[in-house]
Every structure is written in C-alpha cells, then in structure tokens.
Amino acid sequence: MKKSLVVIFLLITNIYLFGEEWHVKKSDANLVKFTSSTPVLDFDGITNNIDGYVYWEGEEIFSGKNELFFEVDINSIETGSGKRDRDMREDVLETDKWQTTYFKGEITSSKSLGNSNFEVKAIGKMFIHGIENQKEIIAQIRFENGVMNVTTDFSVLLKDYSIKAPSLLAFIKVAEEIKLHLNFNLAKAEE
Amino acid sequence: MKIKVVFFSLFLLVNFLYAQPKWKKETSTPEVKLELFHSTQTANFPTTESLKSGNWMYEISHRFLPSINDGYDELFGFDGPAKIRFSLGYGINDNLMITLGRSNNTDNLDLQLKQKLFQIENDYLPSVFSFQLGAVWNTEVPFGLNLSRTDSRNFQFYTQLVFNTMLFNKKLGIGLVPSYLYNSFIYSVEKQYSFTIGSYLQYYINRMWSFWIEYNPTIAGYRGRIRLDEIGKSYNTIAIGTAIETGGHIFNILLTNNARLNTSQYLVGADRSTNNGDWRLGFGIIRYF
C-alpha cells in the first residue's frame, strides 16, 4: 500500500514537473515582414501566416529543457506587386519545392527585464530554400493578459541559402541582406 | 522486483507521453491560382493572366511603318513614322482588370475589361479561361468628312475568349483567342463585323528570355481597310518575336506584317501582306507596378 502511494505520488510529480507549451495564436494580427533595401528601391513582403510553438519544462519560465519551432508559409507573402510575388515564388524561393521556411531551436539564455518582459537568445536551425543553417536570434517576449508576445529583428544573407538575388528593375537587384521583423502572439496550449 | 519494473515502465510511459510538445501543424495551404504566361498580354493578344487587386500596368508599343526591306536608309524602319499605343491597366480585383489604351491610328481610344473565368488544374494540361470585352471610340475626324467626333458610327465593340495552357513543365505556352469585332469599318454605311481565331505560342527558355509567334486569321466577316486613306484589303496577321523579362518589365521585339495596334484595328487584319516581304519592326514595353 505504501509503495503504491509512492508510485502514484512520483508519477503525479513527474507529470507536474513538466512546464508549459504555448502555440501561435493564428487569429491574432501576427506579422512577418521582410525588407529589401537598396540605394534605389526598398520593398517589403508581409504575411501573417506564421505557426509554431514554444515549450519548456520546469516551473521557471524558459528554464530547463526547452524547444521552439516557428514556420511561415512563403506562398502567403505579399510584396504589393502581383508580378513580383509570382517571380519570388516561382524563381527565387521555388515554393513548389519548399513551401515553408522555419526556425527550430532552443532558448539558451533569458533575462528578465521586469514587468513580465524578457529578452531571450535562441539558437537553432533556420530553413530557407531547402537549406538549413545555424542561426542565433535575439527576441523580446512580453506576457500580458494571458498572451505571450514575441518581437524579433534579424537578417539573413541570400547567398547563405543559395538564393540568387533577382532583379527589381532592369539593372537593380534585390539586396543581398534581407532584414526580417516578426511580431506575433502565442497563447498557452490547452491541456 | 515486479513492482519496480511496472513503476519504471509507467515512469517512462508518462515521460514519453508528456515530455514532448503537443503542437500539431495547422497552417492551411493558401490556394495558389494557376499562373501560366508571365504577362497579362502578349505583343497583340490578351493572356488569361490578370493584375493583382490594386496593381497597375503600363504599356507603350510601336509598330514602325517602313519595311525592313527599306534597309539602312530607313534604318530598317526605325526612322519611322510609327503607329503608337499607350495603355494603362488596373487590377479591380485579382480576377478582373481594366485597361484604357490609345493609339494614334484614328486616335483610337480602347477601354478593355478582362475577367478570369475559371481554371482547370491538371499536371499535363493546366488550363485557364478568361474573356475580354472592349469598347472603342475613334476620336479622329478625317478632313473633309462631315462627321461628329461623338457620332455613334465612331464606336466599336469586341469580345474575346482567351484560353491558355502550358506544356513541358511550364516551358511552352499556348493561347487561343476567338474574337468578334462589331463595326469593323467605322466609315461603312452597313455595319461590318469580323470574326478571327487568334493563336499564339510562347517558349520560355528561362525566366528572362522567351520566343513567340502569333497568328490571327480572319475566319468570317470584314477584312478590308480601316482608314479612308488606305487602299486594298487586310491580310491575316503574323508576328514573331522575342520577349525579354527583367525586374517587372517585359520587352517585346518583333517582326510583323500588321502595324495596327489597338484591338479593334488589329482584329480587322494586317495592312500588309507577308507575300511581299513587307515585314516591319515593332516593340512593346510593359511595366508592372
């Protein structure tokens, strides 16, 4: 009897030792924006079609084992020009082969900024155009009214992902460095 | 011992069941519309492609009147004169676009509405159908003719059904454009009509370069002149050229026997016969915004 109680206690403890899992709130106005900036012409591409999760074990936020995964459907990106969107899909990113881009990694450090704000560093694999590269990303996280808001800015180099910079005008090409800005919300996953 | 094994198994099972994210991919795949030809029009015909909602398109086209046979003295036609068309297009929604164009040939104002009808997704024969309606106002009043600029005889109307498909892994585009033109010759006492079945092939070597050929035979109806200062009849149109695509621009460079640019004039036929070797140079630039 005593042994049974111990077993049950340990199992329950084991379950509750696990932390939390948060999923992207797809109904919110999420934003994934890239910017190509050249001396002659700037343009943005935006989508709200981001999905994924953050998961960690332990009672402390982002402590212990953790994992995060976010993916973006590239077909949904719009730059304001239908012709440019099509060229981007068909020639540049080849979305018939690789429809999504993703980042999968873990939070390696987090720093509380007070008022439920955190700055975290994540390291993982960034997948674009069929190529996976190691990537380090700094993000700001804010908890408010049961929502986790994530904001991050970083950039990628097209050549790191075997992407040939396409032409914007006759002799002007897209910038080699593409800046990305993400701002999206997550909600705690239901048990 | 047995209890320990059970406990350990349960511990592992619980770990396995709970120690991993429960997230499941929910991203819905947005519907990607069939996009076949790389532009909303070829040199002379509409394709089934449409402008995206809120997007603009600008076109400028020239057809030089001297023949390339005139040689260096006319710089193979580039010395001009030339028939010119300007047009501006706008995407009302993703499937409907409007274009207003003007040619210096009878000062022809051309208002077009193109609607994408439906698509057939098929690995071997992806197909899209559209139709185009056009209303035309010829605003030039020939010297000595007692005709008001707004006289109803100056107006023409046409309709075109457009079928496009792509073969060989989106390398070879095929287009068919049956067209009906009402009031083909605006100076005629009796109203004329022309019915043609246009066709075109475009082979895309790569994203930048392609070659194309167009043919527009008149099947029934009027195939005469379109201006009072012209003589003779019109001929089936042939045009052959190359398209260069770069950074939102499409450049067409072509040889043709037809210097008529606006649709209501082009559909009547070519002003020269290919039998005489009267090929003329032409070009067109389309810019998408």
Side-chain angles (χ1 to χ4, degrees), chain B residues 21 42 92 131 158:
Chain B
T42 64
I92 295 170
F131 80 90
Y158 59 85

Side-chain angles (χ1 to χ4, degrees), chain A residues 10 14 18 21 26 49 51-53 71 73 78 80-83 86-87 89-91 99 168-170, chain B residues 7 11 14-15 19-23 25-27 29-30 35-38 52 55 207 245-247 287:
Chain A
L10 284 172
N14 186 38
F18 292 109
E21 183 173 339
K26 300 201 66 176
N49 208 331
D51 202 2
Y53 64 88
E71 68 173 14
D73 189 319
E78 294 185 343
S81 163
K83 175 71 176 156
R86 181 180 174 186
D87 292 347
R89 286 195 303 269
E90 294 184 357
D91 299 334
Q99 190 180 324
L168 283 174
L169 291 168
Chain B
F7 169 71
F11 188 83
V14 169
N15 265 295
Q20 56 186 329
K22 295 185 287 289
W23 176 83
K25 182 171 177 156
E26 289 176 11
T27 308
T29 304
E35 294 169 307
L36 303 178
F37 282 78
H38 294 188
K52 197 173 173 63
N55 283 189
R207 191 72 199 187
E245 188 175 343
T246 177
R287 167 70 178 153

Side-chain angles (χ1 to χ4, degrees), chain A residues 84-99:
Chain A
R84 187 163 55 204
D85 293 349
R86 181 180 174 186
D87 292 347
M88 182 179 69
R89 286 195 303 269
E90 294 184 357
D91 299 334
V92 181
L93 297 173
E94 300 177 89
T95 59
D96 56 331
K97 294 179 193 165
W98 305 290
Q99 190 180 324

Side-chain angles (χ1 to χ4, degrees), chain A residues 156-170:
Chain A
V156 295
L157 296 175
L158 295 183
K159 64 180 170 61
D160 290 345
Y161 297 91
S162 286
I163 297 171
K164 202 174 167 184
S167 296
L168 283 174
L169 291 168

